Amino acid sequence: MTEQYVLGLQEIDETQVAVVGGKGAQLGGLSRIDGISVPGGFCVTTAAFRRVMAEVPSIDELLDRLSRDDPEDREKVRTLSAHIRRAVEETAVPHDLAAAITRAVSGLGEDVACAVRSSATAEDLPTASFAGQQDTYLNVVGPEAILRHVSRCWASLFTERAVIYRQRNGIDHRTVHMAVVVQRMVLPDASGILFTADPVTGNRKVATVDAGFGLGEALVSGLVNPDVYKVRDDEIVARTIAAKQRAVHALPAGGTREVTVDSQRQEQPALTDAQVVRLVRLGRRIEAHFGRPQDIEWCLADDGFQIVQSRPITTLFPVPGSGDQENHVYVSVGHGQMMTDPMKPLGHSMWRLTAMVPMHEAGGRLFVDVTRRLAAPTSRAGLLDVLGKGDPLIRDALETVLDREGFVPTLPDAGPGGPPAGGPPAPLETDPAVVTRLIERSETSVAALERDIRTKSGPELFDFLVEAFEEHKRVLSDPLSIQAIMAGMEATWWLNDKLLEWLGEKNAADTLTLSAPGNITSEMGLALLDVADVIRPHPELVTFLQGVEDDGFLDELAKLPGGAEARDAIQAYLDRYGMRCVGEIDITRPRWSERPTTLVPVILDNVRNFEPGAAELRFEQGRRRAQEKEQDVLSRLRALPDGEQKADETKRMIDRVRTFIGYREYPKYGIISRYFVYKQALLKEAGSLAQAGVLARTEDAFYLTFQELRDAVSSRQVDDRLIRERKDAFRSYHALTPPRVLTSEGDALTGAYRRDDVPAGALVGLPVSAGTVDGRARVVLDMADADLEAGDILVTAFTDPSWSPLFVGIAGLVTEVGGLMTHGAVIAREYGLPAVVGVEQATRLIRDGQRIRVHGTDGYVEILP
């Protein structure tokens, strides 16, 4: 079959990305929409690019070198990419290919001016825009000049910025090909950009129009500020008219130049209001055709709009599907669970199946619809109070939505309905036996799951798991368990409120809860110190661990002097805690038992930074400090009016908080213990599918939902295309920042603290563990990359229980996500670490190695000179 080197835009649609690239495919789709005008033109296909690339001298060797280069080594990338560009531009275009392009140019008209635009196969895609990564040339006149600029477009696939962009997005240079769009040049009166959703707030009902005089290059290059219009429901709801002193115009002989706009026109609008509304209507038609919000480049000539490009807006956070036209308000699950990374489909579907409330997925994250609870006054107050105590930013974001008149409907409170059957639960005694009983119940349930699941496989396994999920939820919703958790939290709040009122002390409970008994997460951190004690006396073991890369290292370790004891200590730790990992609510994440090398850097830090017996010593020091604090508080209270009564009440609450606060961490441990059992069983089924050739790899099962995996096991069939699409989507979700609150209109809200009691330049957050500490900031995004010294302050995006082993070796904590009762805060208080959480963009605003001061009592962070 003869390769097609040239296709007219009318012959193309948006499915032909592989042939004409992202831009060409979008333009072909645009040209087919009724009522949308697209400048006439054609596309030089990727077949032409491949043919020319085959002629480039040593291209395979050059691409191999480029793939090996570190994208952070800018000088090396710059030199090699420039060499490849020169080689492509200097390669002669084959005669028949040049003739085909020249014929297509003649078809546009004699000596017609054209725009010559790059169109890569990884460009203007739903998951990655690649905007500005390759080149565009305007007002190119004559076949010879157009041919020369086609070669420049091919070469622009290897600009430094395009090469680095691909490397950072994990895209192989060889898999991306370049087509070139050639279109009749439009000489516009005005031009600009139309976003069919507000690019700042994310609102899908508000379109934004940027407009200026002449060619759009003036806006794109930042030469002038545009007029900006916001349009909702065919009405302009906001406008800013800029002084447009410069414009870019086409030259008769080709090329463009900057010109000065006549002073009388500079502050005139580039568009009339009627034109703005008409343009937005065209944008809505384009958006409907492509099925998602669009970033549209437009030109206005003779009062007619020409559309010269439309690409998906890839920066918007997706909106959960509701299936209706009502307004909805969603709260992020990840911010409460300390895991704001995207989850793979099996991960989020499993969490939804085992959660106590309905959840909605968007952008690989989970959200809870709180609209109905916000609608009724009493439930609204309760929801805002609970969420506000955990994370004030969520409360502020919700209040911002509530301030929008009419967005959340007002509903009456539910009728009294009488007390629940059996009356209210009996008050919970402050008795450690309650916690012991709850832990025994959980352990018995997990042991039964492990026993019963062993005999299940195939469809029978999935039937069994559906029943197991009901037991999972029953354990999770055990009224006694919920009472115990609430007892610890309420006692903490009581102590903080009353001791602030009576003694003027902020966050007094932070010291009173040091080394509280029964906290599985803090015990996990201390237990790794005991592992380090076994290894420390043997330098040969330390040297061996420093070079470990393979997860099967335990058998090799046992062959060294002292290695058998070290292996047994690590294995015992994994037997107890190996089901944990970073991002553990996503069942697809590798557990410590599956990837024990994750723990090696932490063990080595503990060997280096601590003396023998540190675990017991630290726990005892914390217990003693809490005891001393208790005596201090009680004696000061007794000196007050009604002091004996206040001291007695406080003593009861201290006993209560120390009895129950440690249990706060146990239910999550139970959940993750069950998750590991589920995962092992599901991996066995996925492995069977991979062995049979149904799946390419066992881990491909992670890109199916639970129900889809169940169907695959029954049918022995999987849609490979679906898995590829899910992988691409998951990769793209990493670039999205999930909001704390999201509306059905697409508004992404993060909330604000609205405080004026912090020093200028300080980073504001939520105080969760009292004290002030100075130290070196260590910005750590992956626990496996942690390299901490005593006295360092850990700065990270979020911490779930798996980060706790790092807490024993640091002096303070700063996170971007968190609340008063989230795991990082609880463990920081257990270990007596000053901590501030919920510090927006902390990992960007604080540089690794900077000295900072953490004000854990007042909730802010200072960057020190």
Side-chain angles (χ1 to χ4, degrees):
M1 185 176 105
T2 306
E3 293 274 22
Q4 281 189 292
Y5 295 132
V6 174
L7 288 173
L9 288 182
Q10 294 289 343
E11 301 175 78
I12 298 165
D13 64 31
E14 56 267 35
T15 66
Q16 294 171 270
V17 172
V19 178
V20 296
K23 189 177 279 110
Q26 290 282 110
L27 282 167
L30 280 167
S31 67
R32 293 164 177 259
I33 304 173
D34 187 39
I36 301 299
S37 295
V38 176
F42 60 90
C43 196
V44 182
T45 66
T46 54
F49 170 79
R50 288 194 299 274
R51 180 159 172 205
V52 168
M53 287 295 288
E55 304 289 326
V56 176
S58 308
I59 189 63
D60 286 331
E61 181 193 335
L62 291 169
L63 290 178
D64 283 342
R65 284 172 56 196
L66 197 61
S67 297
R68 289 194 299 268
D69 281 351
D70 179 358
E72 302 309 318
D73 189 343
R74 300 295 288 265
E75 189 54 44
K76 192 180 264 189
V77 171
R78 185 179 299 121
T79 302
L80 185 53
S81 59
H83 180 57
I84 295 173
R85 285 199 307 280
R86 277 196 308 274
V88 173
E89 286 188 43
E90 290 168 3
T91 298
V93 179
H95 178 73
D96 60 325
L97 175 51
I101 295 171
T102 301
R103 278 195 303 274
V105 172
S106 300
L108 296 179
E110 195 168 339
D111 285 332
V112 67
C114 291
V116 183
R117 310 167 73 196
S118 305
S119 180
T121 52
E123 179 180 78
D124 295 352
L125 305 177
T127 56
S129 75
F130 284 72
Q133 298 306 315
Q134 285 87 38
D135 289 345
T136 286
Y137 301 96
L138 299 178
N139 204 37
V140 182
V141 179
E144 188 178 324
I146 287 171
L147 264 176
R148 190 164 62 252
H149 284 84
V150 167
S151 286
R152 287 184 179 175
C153 283
W154 287 331
S156 75
L157 190 65
F158 301 101
T159 61
E160 178 189 350
R161 63 183 181 273
V163 165
I164 290 172
Y165 191 94
R166 286 196 296 274
Q167 287 177 319
R168 287 180 176 165
N169 283 273
I171 297 170
D172 185 346
H173 301 300
R174 295 173 191 276
T175 64
V176 184
H177 301 129
M178 180 67 84
V180 181
V181 174
V182 180
Q183 283 177 286
R184 191 181 290 113
M185 186 72 189
V186 180
L187 304 178
D189 304 313
S191 57
I193 309 292
L194 160 63
F195 297 97
T196 63
D198 190 314
V200 177
T201 68
N203 192 299
R204 302 323 198 250
K205 294 197 172 183
V206 176
T208 301
V209 175
D210 288 4
F213 295 126
L215 292 167
E217 291 306 291
L219 301 187
V220 174
S221 64
L223 185 64
V224 297
N225 291 323
D227 297 341
V228 180
Y229 301 85
K230 292 190 182 294
V231 180
R232 182 181 178 119
D233 299 329
D234 281 351
E235 181 185 348
I236 296 174
V237 294
R239 65 161 59 74
T240 303
I241 306 303
K244 299 169 286 297
Q245 297 173 336
R246 311 284 290 169
V248 175
H249 285 179
L251 294 169
T256 62
R257 70 167 181 178
E258 290 179 24
V259 298
T260 302
V261 176
D262 185 82
S263 60
Q264 293 180 328
R265 290 188 68 213
Q266 287 180 4
E267 298 198 23
Q268 287 182 1
L271 298 176
T272 66
D273 286 3
Q275 286 170 334
V276 170
V277 171
R278 177 152 51 96
L279 175 60
V280 170
R281 285 177 183 163
L282 293 175
R284 293 291 178 213
R285 192 175 293 183
I286 294 168
E287 179 184 65
H289 176 83
F290 289 118
R292 65 186 69 223
Q294 297 287 300
D295 166 356
I296 298 165
E297 296 175 27
W298 56 269
C299 296
L300 177 71
D302 301 323
D303 197 37
F305 285 105
Q306 298 269 318
I307 305 300
V308 295
Q309 183 54 31
S310 185
R311 61 173 66 91
I313 307 176
T314 58
T315 55
L316 298 176
F317 199 87
V319 178
S322 63
D324 60 38
Q325 298 302 308
E326 302 297 317
N327 291 341
H328 293 270
V329 183
Y330 303 96
V331 170
S332 166
V333 172
H335 284 81
Q337 289 294 336
M338 297 296 91
M339 214 294 274
T340 55
D341 289 347
M343 300 167 74
K344 295 188 179 82
L346 187 61
H348 61 67
S349 71
M350 287 288 286
W351 194 256
R352 290 171 74 177
L353 285 166
T354 53
M356 301 308 300
V357 294
M359 293 181 179
H360 306 263
E361 182 272 335
R365 279 79 167 190
L366 291 172
F367 295 85
V368 173
D369 186 343
V370 296
T371 318
R372 291 194 66 81
R373 291 180 68 186
L374 286 175
T378 301
S379 60
R380 179 193 308 146
L383 180 71
L384 291 175
D385 182 54
V386 169
L387 293 179
K389 278 178 174 168
D391 185 341
L393 293 178
I394 290 179
R395 176 174 186 142
D396 183 79
L398 288 174
E399 287 174 337
T400 301
V401 177
L402 288 168
D403 286 341
R404 296 177 187 171
E405 192 174 341
F407 188 84
V408 177
T410 300
L411 299 175
D413 285 314
L428 191 63
E429 290 183 43
T430 302
D431 182 359
V434 172
V435 173
T436 304
R437 189 159 71 248
L438 284 167
I439 291 172
E440 285 173 355
R441 281 189 202 174
S442 177
E443 289 177 344
T444 300
S445 177
V446 172
L449 172 67
E450 289 174 330
R451 182 189 66 235
D452 296 343
I453 205 169
R454 287 186 194 127
T455 59
K456 306 297 187 294
S457 63
E460 185 188 9
L461 169 68
F462 288 85
D463 294 339
F464 172 82
L465 283 173
V466 170
E467 292 180 18
F469 297 161
E470 292 308 309
E471 166 66 4
H472 180 121
K473 289 192 275 191
R474 188 196 65 74
V475 172
L476 206 56
S477 61
D478 182 340
L480 185 63
S481 177
I482 294 169
Q483 273 187 283
I485 292 169
M486 291 309 299
M489 290 167 66
E490 287 166 354
T492 301
W493 296 332
W494 189 96
L495 286 167
N496 280 335
D497 290 346
K498 291 299 184 183
L499 296 180
L500 178 62
E501 178 189 340
W502 293 337
L503 298 177
E505 254 197 64
K506 290 183 179 177
N507 303 327
D510 293 358
T511 307
L512 294 166
T513 54
L514 286 170
S515 298
N519 187 317
I520 189 79
T521 309
S522 62
E523 288 169 1
M524 179 171 71
L526 296 173
L528 208 58
L529 289 174
D530 291 334
V531 172
D533 286 353
V534 178
I535 293 165
R536 192 180 292 103
H538 305 284
E540 201 173 340
L541 296 183
V542 175
T543 302
F544 171 80
L545 289 174
Q546 286 168 341
V548 159
E549 292 180 1
D550 181 2
D551 284 312
F553 70 91
L554 288 176
D555 289 338
E556 291 300 311
L557 181 70
K559 297 173 184 176
L560 300 171
E565 293 83 359
R567 178 201 57 196
D568 292 346
I570 294 172
Q571 190 57 60
Y573 186 87
L574 292 173
D575 290 343
R576 175 73 164 147
Y577 304 110
M579 78 293 289
R580 312 217 80 149
C581 68
V582 172
E584 61 193 8
I585 69 169
D586 182 350
I587 199 171
T588 72
R589 291 285 192 105
R591 311 284 134 175
W592 289 343
S593 287
E594 297 167 323
R595 195 171 289 173
T597 49
T598 306
L599 292 173
V600 170
V602 191
I603 293 171
L604 290 170
D605 282 350
N606 288 349
V607 168
R608 185 175 69 249
N609 295 333
F610 292 94
E611 297 296 320
E616 187 177 348
L617 180 64
R618 283 181 67 102
F619 187 82
E620 183 55 31
Q621 284 173 339
R623 193 190 63 77
R624 197 178 308 120
R625 277 186 62 201
Q627 205 169 37
E628 290 166 358
K629 184 69 174 177
E630 177 181 328
Q631 297 307 317
D632 172 61
V633 163
L634 295 178
S635 66
R636 286 159 63 200
L637 285 173
R638 289 190 184 103
L640 300 177
D642 300 321
E644 286 299 331
Q645 182 183 339
K646 288 172 180 171
D648 289 346
E649 285 184 72
T650 301
K651 171 61 175 165
R652 281 197 299 275
M653 284 300 173
I654 292 172
D655 290 346
R656 197 163 178 78
V657 81
R658 293 193 66 80
T659 298
F660 292 116
I661 200 64
Y663 179 70
R664 163 75 180 79
E665 294 291 297
Y666 194 86
K668 183 74 170 286
Y669 174 81
I671 291 170
I672 301 306
S673 298
R674 299 180 74 89
Y675 257 46
F676 192 41
V677 180
Y678 304 152
K679 182 178 186 179
Q680 290 171 307
L682 290 172
L683 275 177
K684 197 172 175 184
E685 293 300 317
S688 169
L689 291 177
Q691 205 165 10
V694 178
L695 290 173
R697 297 167 61 249
T698 299
E699 289 75 17
D700 283 354
F702 295 160
Y703 296 93
L704 300 173
T705 65
F706 176 82
Q707 185 58 49
E708 287 165 349
L709 181 55
R710 185 180 191 174
D711 293 344
V713 167
S714 295
S715 68
R716 312 300 284 180
Q717 289 183 321
V718 167
D719 183 348
D720 293 336
R721 184 177 51 82
L722 176 68
I723 288 177
R724 282 197 305 275
E725 288 173 359
R726 294 266 178 84
K727 286 181 177 180
D728 288 343
F730 178 72
R731 201 161 34 239
S732 74
Y733 293 155
H734 282 278
L736 300 174
T737 301
R740 284 176 167 80
V741 171
L742 184 64
T743 73
S744 49
E745 291 188 348
D747 292 290
L749 299 106
T750 55
Y753 287 106
R754 307 186 195 283
R755 289 173 54 186
D756 55 9
D757 59 343
V758 297
L763 308 180
V764 185
L766 180 65
V768 295
S769 185
T772 301
V773 65
D774 295 9
R776 178 179 65 162
R778 296 314 309 260
V779 180
V780 179
L781 300 179
D782 184 338
M783 180 177 154
D785 297 333
D787 181 15
L788 300 167
E789 299 284 350
D792 284 348
I793 296 169
L794 175 62
V795 180
T796 189
F798 57 81
T799 62
D800 58 13
S802 70
W803 287 73
S804 300
L806 294 184
F807 284 25
V808 298
I810 59 176
L813 174 69
V814 179
T815 68
E816 295 179 343
V817 176
L820 267 173
M821 285 298 171
T822 48
H823 301 277
V826 171
I827 305 308
R829 290 193 291 271
E830 280 269 327
Y831 289 164
L833 303 174
V836 180
V837 302
V839 180
E840 282 290 291
Q841 299 188 38
T843 59
R844 295 186 187 93
L845 298 173
I846 299 171
R847 293 196 312 275
D848 186 57
Q850 277 186 316
R851 290 200 65 77
I852 62 173
R853 179 173 295 139
V854 177
H855 295 263
T857 306
D858 295 310
Y860 63 91
V861 180
E862 288 181 287
I863 298 174
L864 302 176

